[in-house]
């Protein structure tokens, strides 16, 4: 029996145990953004360290940071072979709105071949797959074809504010030849995709204030500027009617995509009508002169994520509110710098603040820089061969409109090529109610990970 056949048999025979263990992991409500769940973050970290130890890794431990801890473990028994650093995260998003979940978010449930739970796809399920792939290879062969290290964090969903300091302080511990991340989706069911570009991220809160307290609109209407009116006007100045961002200098550092990338994007089967219908909108919208994929993957965006102020209860309350607020985020592309973009946004807001209104801004806790790699790197081509071996089709090459803040930091500080070997699907409701993970991709993904470890072991120079 070949090694591949032995691994397939092992995964089949231990499938139920693996699922039960994954359920344990998913039941821990490790929501990083809510301080009430800090004990759960610690529990999840300890659970992971115990798992790493149980499958045969050494030096598995929970390492404190200024925020939530890092989980580390290693197996370094493959002398002369490459070292793979596996990065992932064990924290999850909040579950609101809770009433939209069909089953409780931290009580895993299987329906129609899908595992439902918060974190099932992003990113607990995908992290767990690497642990079980290593378990299977060690059980079936007694060794791994490569050296592996794990660096699992508990703050990815809040922008990874402390991962940079951790990497900088532990460069020797984390030294490797390749960084491997499973936190991205396939293109669609049966069609793997290798993501080679991630957007950066920055954001701020905007606070505008008028009178010192809410006022009677009959007694003071027409006398002062209403902060809600002022905020609505102010935010409208951020955009041109055609979707272009109207902030001076915003696009100055944007690196255009190559003609080869344009051609690759054009070959990707993207059904705009199906996407429009799925989203329930009359049409798609965005910066003119670019395709939908180009706008989402390779052009920067600015979004107003929330606006609030004044009376929001049932009925009517005729007040002029004292203040109004909004949250803004920008998704950035190479070579935009988050700090520079924030400065440009803040300058624009101050320049366009209406008379009679005081404005202040507060930046988000952390920012992320964009990252783009070359698809020709041997480590990425090894991923392509692994996908083709298990899924039976050539993977397509994509970028993402989303961010993994740690990716660029690992690249900048450790000079590692980054391989995004993901197994989720775009419609698995990550960050939304009823998040789920297709078990078919869980099963095929285990084989793909094992295949990748074997493929990368044959490369002499990375």
């Amino acid at each position: 029996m070949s090694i591949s056949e032995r691994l397939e048999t092992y995964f089949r025979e231990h499938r139920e145990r693996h699922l039960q263990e994954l359920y344990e992991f998913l039941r821990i409500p490790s929501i990083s953004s809510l301080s009430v769940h800090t004990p759960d973050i610690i529990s999840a970290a300890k659970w992971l360290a115990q798992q790493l130890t149980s499958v045969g890794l050494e030096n598995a431990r929970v390492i404190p940071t200024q925020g939530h801890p890092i989980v580390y473990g290693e197996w370094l028994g493959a002398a002369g072979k490459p070292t793979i650093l596996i990065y992932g995260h064990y924290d999850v998003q909040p579950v609101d709105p809770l009433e939209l979940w069909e089953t409780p978010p931290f009580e895993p449930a299987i329906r129609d071949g899908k595992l439902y739970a918060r974190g099932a796809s992003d990113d607990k399920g995908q992290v767990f797959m690497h642990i079980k792939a290593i378990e299977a290879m060690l059980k079936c062969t007694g060794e791994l074809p490569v050296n592996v290290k794990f660096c699992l964090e508990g703050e990815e969903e809040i922008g990874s504010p402390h991962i940079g300091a951790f990497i900088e302080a532990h460069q020797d511990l984390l030294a490797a030849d390749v960084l491997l991340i499973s936190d991205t989706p396939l293109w669609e069911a049966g069609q793997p995709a290798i993501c080679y570009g991630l957007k950066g991220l920055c954001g701020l809160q905007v606070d505008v204030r008028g009178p010192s307290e809410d006022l009677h609109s009959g007694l003071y209407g027409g006398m002062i500027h209403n902060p809600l009116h002022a905020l609505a006007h102010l935010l409208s100045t951020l955009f041109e009617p055609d979707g272009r961002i109207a902030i001076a200098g915003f696009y100055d550092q944007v690196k255009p995509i190559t003609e080869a990338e344009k051609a690759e994007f054009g070959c990707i089967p993207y059904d705009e009508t199906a996407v429009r219908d799925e989203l329930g909108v009359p049409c798609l919208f965005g910066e003119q002169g670019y395709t939908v994929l180009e706008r989402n993957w390779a052009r920067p965006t600015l979004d107003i994520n929330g606006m609030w102020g004044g009376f929001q209860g049932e009925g009517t309350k005729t007040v002029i509110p004292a203040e109004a607020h909004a949250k803004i985020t920008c998704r950035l592309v190479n070579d935009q710098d988050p700090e520079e973009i924030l400065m440009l946004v803040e300058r624009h807001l101050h320049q366009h603040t209406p008379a009679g209104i005081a404005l202040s801004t507060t930046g988000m806790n952390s920012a992320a820089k964009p990252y783009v790699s070359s698809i020709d790197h041997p480590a990425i081509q090894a991923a392509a061969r692994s996908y083709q071996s298990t899924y039976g089709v050539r993977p397509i090459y994509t970028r993402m409109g989303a961010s993994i803040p740690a990716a660029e930091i690992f690249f900048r500080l450790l000079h590692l090529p980054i391989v995004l070997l993901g197994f989720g699907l775009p419609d698995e409701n990550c960050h939304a109610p009823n998040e789920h993970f297709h078990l078919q991709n869980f099963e095929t993904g285990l084989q793909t990970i094992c295949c990748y470890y074997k493929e990368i072991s044959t490369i002499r120079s990375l």
Side-chain angles (χ1 to χ4, degrees):
M1 185 183 292
S2 69
I3 293 177
S4 294
E5 291 171 331
R6 289 161 63 189
L7 289 169
E8 183 177 355
T9 299
Y10 185 88
F11 288 131
R12 183 174 62 253
E13 292 178 347
H14 294 268
R15 181 180 187 273
E16 188 56 36
R17 174 175 63 82
H18 288 168
L19 286 177
Q20 291 300 322
E21 291 173 354
L22 179 55
Y23 295 167
E24 292 178 13
F25 193 20
L26 293 171
R27 288 191 181 106
I28 304 172
S30 49
I31 303 172
S32 53
S33 62
L34 302 178
S35 58
V36 69
H37 286 287
T38 297
D40 299 310
I41 287 283
I42 302 302
S43 294
K46 291 180 178 178
W47 188 94
L48 274 175
Q50 187 277 327
Q51 272 285 314
L52 294 180
T53 298
S54 71
V55 302
L57 272 71
E58 300 173 342
N59 298 320
R61 60 193 187 273
V62 176
I63 305 176
T65 72
Q66 292 298 310
H68 300 322
I70 299 289
V71 180
Y72 177 83
E74 64 187 21
W75 190 92
L76 304 178
K81 295 295 185 178
T83 298
I84 311 302
L85 177 60
I86 301 161
Y87 165 81
H89 64 94
Y90 61 88
D91 64 319
V92 299
Q93 283 277 334
V95 299
D96 310 86
L98 184 60
E99 65 273 11
L100 296 184
W101 287 80
E102 293 184 27
T103 51
F106 296 109
E107 283 299 327
I110 293 178
R111 299 192 297 275
D112 301 322
K114 306 169 190 176
L115 173 58
Y116 285 81
R118 173 58 88 226
S121 180
D122 182 21
D123 183 35
K124 287 182 175 180
Q126 300 199 60
V127 165
F128 183 80
M129 290 165 64
H130 282 277
I131 299 173
K132 294 298 110 176
I134 288 172
E135 172 191 291
M137 297 188 86
L138 288 174
K139 291 291 186 182
C140 291
T141 69
E143 61 183 4
L144 300 179
V146 292
N147 302 293
V148 297
K149 297 179 178 180
F150 278 85
C151 179
L152 308 175
E153 74 158 321
E155 296 186 323
E156 196 274 346
E157 299 292 6
I158 54 174
S160 301
H162 299 102
I163 191 72
F166 179 85
I167 296 170
E168 193 160 18
H170 296 84
Q171 294 189 46
D172 290 341
L173 180 71
L174 301 175
D177 297 294
V178 175
L179 180 70
L180 183 59
I181 303 175
S182 293
D183 193 11
T184 51
L186 309 175
W187 176 251
E188 61 186 7
Q191 176 58 69
I194 296 177
C195 177
Y196 67 93
L198 298 163
K199 282 188 172 180
L201 178 67
C202 63
L204 51 79
Q205 179 168 314
V206 181
D207 303 294
V208 299
R209 189 165 190 93
S212 59
E213 59 186 357
D214 289 358
L215 300 176
H216 191 300
S217 65
L219 297 178
Y220 294 95
M223 296 171 57
I224 62 170
H225 207 321
N226 185 314
L228 280 170
H229 299 181
L231 180 63
H233 169 75
L234 180 60
L235 296 179
S236 73
T237 69
L238 295 170
F239 306 94
E240 302 288 357
D242 65 357
R244 185 175 174 85
I245 297 165
I247 298 170
F250 189 87
Y251 294 99
D252 285 358
Q253 303 304 317
V254 173
K255 187 175 182 179
I257 62 174
T258 66
E259 290 302 316
E261 284 181 297
K262 279 181 173 285
E264 183 75 22
F265 289 1
C267 294
I268 294 174
Y270 189 80
D271 189 336
E272 293 187 24
T273 301
V275 173
R276 181 199 67 195
D277 293 344
E278 178 186 346
L279 299 178
V281 295
C283 65
L284 302 182
F285 176 78
E287 185 184 5
Q288 298 300 300
Y290 300 91
T291 67
V292 172
L293 290 182
E294 289 171 356
R295 295 198 305 258
N296 184 244
W297 292 350
R299 297 294 294 173
T301 60
L302 184 152
D303 284 292
I304 300 164
N305 309 120
M307 298 172 61
W308 69 99
F311 178 67
Q312 299 177 51
E314 183 178 357
T316 300
K317 185 179 182 183
T318 53
V319 296
I320 298 172
E323 56 191 50
H325 314 272
K327 291 184 183 289
I328 294 172
T329 53
C330 302
R331 299 281 184 175
L332 310 178
V333 298
N334 288 51
D335 290 320
Q336 290 179 301
D337 180 75
E339 292 185 7
E340 180 183 3
I341 293 300
L342 277 181
M343 181 272 292
L344 294 175
V345 174
E346 290 176 325
R347 184 176 67 186
H348 177 99
L349 292 170
H350 282 285
Q351 289 175 345
H352 292 79
T353 300
I357 292 293
L359 178 140
S360 63
T361 59
T362 306
M364 62 192 294
N365 290 335
S366 61
K369 292 184 178 181
Y371 169 79
V372 177
S373 66
S374 168
I375 65 174
D376 296 325
H377 193 281
I380 290 180
Q381 289 304 303
R385 293 192 298 273
S386 301
Y387 273 134
Q388 183 141 9
S389 175
T390 54
Y391 282 88
V393 295
R394 173 187 178 272
I396 59 176
Y397 294 93
T398 68
R399 292 197 192 187
M400 277 187 66
S403 308
I404 300 177
E408 187 276 337
I409 302 173
F410 275 108
F411 175 75
R412 173 163 37 91
L413 295 179
L414 300 184
H415 311 292
L416 294 178
I418 299 174
V419 176
L420 297 165
L421 190 77
F423 302 99
L425 284 173
D427 62 354
E428 289 181 333
N429 288 12
C430 296
H431 295 202
N434 300 307
E435 179 181 349
H436 56 276
F437 193 24
H438 286 69
L439 292 178
Q440 177 62 56
N441 288 325
F442 176 81
E443 292 156 4
T444 308
L446 288 167
Q447 293 281 0
T448 307
I449 291 170
C450 293
C451 187
Y452 183 74
Y453 292 158
K454 289 182 286 184
E455 283 284 346
I456 203 75
S457 71
T458 66
I459 300 175
R460 293 185 177 180
S461 177
L462 291 169

